[in-house]
Amino acid sequence: MNQLETRELAYFVAVAETLHFSQAAEQLGITQPPLSRAIAHLERRVGVPLLERTTRQVRLTAAGEVFLTECRTILAAMDTAVRKARKAAEQRITIAARPASGPGVLPALLAAGADGVLTDVVFTYDEIGALRDGTADIALMCQTVATPGLELLELGPEEPVVLLPADHALADRPFLTLAEVEALVGYEAQLPNEPLDTMVDRVALGRLVVVVGESVRDRLGGSVRAVPVHGYPATQLVLAWLPDAHSAASRLTATAQAVMAERTPRP
């Protein structure tokens, strides 16, 4: 069988997702007849029916369901390859970071640069996904669980603090236990999928209680207090990258180590 073309896979995915040839053709920017011919040709090359067609509907066959999954994987992999190639040519390093992750470290990394190579940042709640799909070269994140397949550089511990309104009855306590935090009205165990500034505003209004890393202190202002939490799982601020990003990682990790050395208090 001759190698299939990317165009054919994209055509099939469009039809399989819409289950309508006219809608798929419009989505692809072509007319319906050449699309129908392309799908028929694809089925002949694959050797099995991928779609069941009647005058009223289009349905995927069992083989079509499997082929759709594989086509999506192939097209996603090709998009990743293009992004990685373009990034390599641009001589840029992109850091993926969660909005509330290491706010004191990230600006220092961006300001320091990495041996003259431009450094960008993309904010995401799926840092590892950004590494795997090529959106980012390096991730700045808090590690709470094992991360198989990634190389890591530990930057330092992120001590947990709970954010409370400045006038909260417990805001002046030297620390709170995890049980006390979990009992507070408005407590959310999962970090909300929103920017840090939005979280801080919600905390100040008494609508949210959340545990974050202590490095957010510089971003709180006077309306919110950060109180240490005892008994909360420890986290480690790390830089993470895939093994094939070793070149970009080696430049940025050297910069990160220098930045952290400057931030570490001398005895």
Side-chain angles (χ1 to χ4, degrees):
M1 182 181 69
N2 294 330
Q3 292 183 343
L4 299 178
E5 298 179 7
T6 305
R7 173 182 59 84
E8 294 177 302
L9 304 186
Y11 283 7
F12 173 73
V13 169
V15 174
E17 290 181 341
T18 61
L19 295 179
H20 197 288
F21 275 83
S22 295
Q23 291 179 11
E26 183 177 354
Q27 177 181 308
L28 293 165
I30 62 176
T31 58
Q32 183 176 338
L35 176 59
S36 297
R37 289 194 296 270
I39 296 299
H41 181 61
L42 174 64
E43 288 180 310
R44 288 195 297 272
R45 295 179 69 183
V46 173
V48 295
L50 301 173
L51 298 166
E52 293 180 355
R53 309 164 180 81
T54 69
T55 56
R56 295 186 178 182
Q57 65 179 355
V58 176
R59 294 188 303 178
L60 286 167
T61 64
E65 293 278 3
V66 173
F67 194 65
L68 174 60
T69 299
E70 297 302 322
C71 286
R72 286 169 171 162
T73 300
I74 292 168
L75 293 174
M78 295 192 68
D79 287 343
T80 296
V82 170
R83 280 195 296 270
K84 288 185 175 181
R86 287 175 176 171
K87 286 173 65 62
E90 292 172 354
Q91 288 295 296
R92 288 177 178 268
I93 297 174
T94 301
I95 305 173
R98 192 167 292 218
S101 178
V105 177
L106 183 58
L109 279 176
L110 296 176
D115 296 337
V117 178
L118 295 174
T119 306
D120 297 326
V121 61
V122 56
F123 290 104
T124 176
Y125 283 86
D126 183 12
E127 303 97 312
I128 296 177
L131 294 179
R132 299 199 187 283
D133 69 13
T135 301
D137 306 293
I138 312 285
L140 175 66
M141 63 187 194
C142 289
Q143 183 193 24
T144 56
V145 296
T147 50
L150 297 181
E151 297 185 22
L152 303 176
L153 172 68
E154 293 186 353
L155 300 180
E158 273 280 82
E159 297 298 331
V161 295
V162 61
L163 301 186
L164 299 174
D167 59 357
H168 194 281
L170 303 178
D172 293 325
R173 289 269 298 274
F175 68 87
L176 294 175
T177 66
L178 178 57
E180 288 176 318
V181 171
E182 291 176 336
L184 293 174
V185 175
Y187 172 69
E188 293 187 14
Q190 296 296 322
L191 197 64
N193 189 351
E194 62 192 26
L196 177 60
D197 291 343
T198 301
M199 282 191 282
V200 170
D201 288 342
R202 291 176 59 200
V203 171
L205 293 172
R207 297 176 180 174
L208 175 67
V209 173
V210 68
V211 175
V212 296
E214 65 176 346
S215 59
V216 304
R217 290 181 186 273
D218 295 341
R219 298 273 300 277
L220 296 183
S223 60
V224 171
R225 298 279 181 83
V227 181
V229 181
H230 289 187
Y232 195 85
T235 61
Q236 184 76 216
L237 188 65
V238 301
L239 285 178
W241 63 93
L242 294 170
D244 62 5
H246 179 74
S247 176
S250 63
R251 293 194 294 267
L252 191 60
T253 51
T255 302
Q257 289 171 324
V259 167
M260 296 306 295
E262 288 294 323
R263 292 173 59 84
T264 301
R266 293 179 173 82

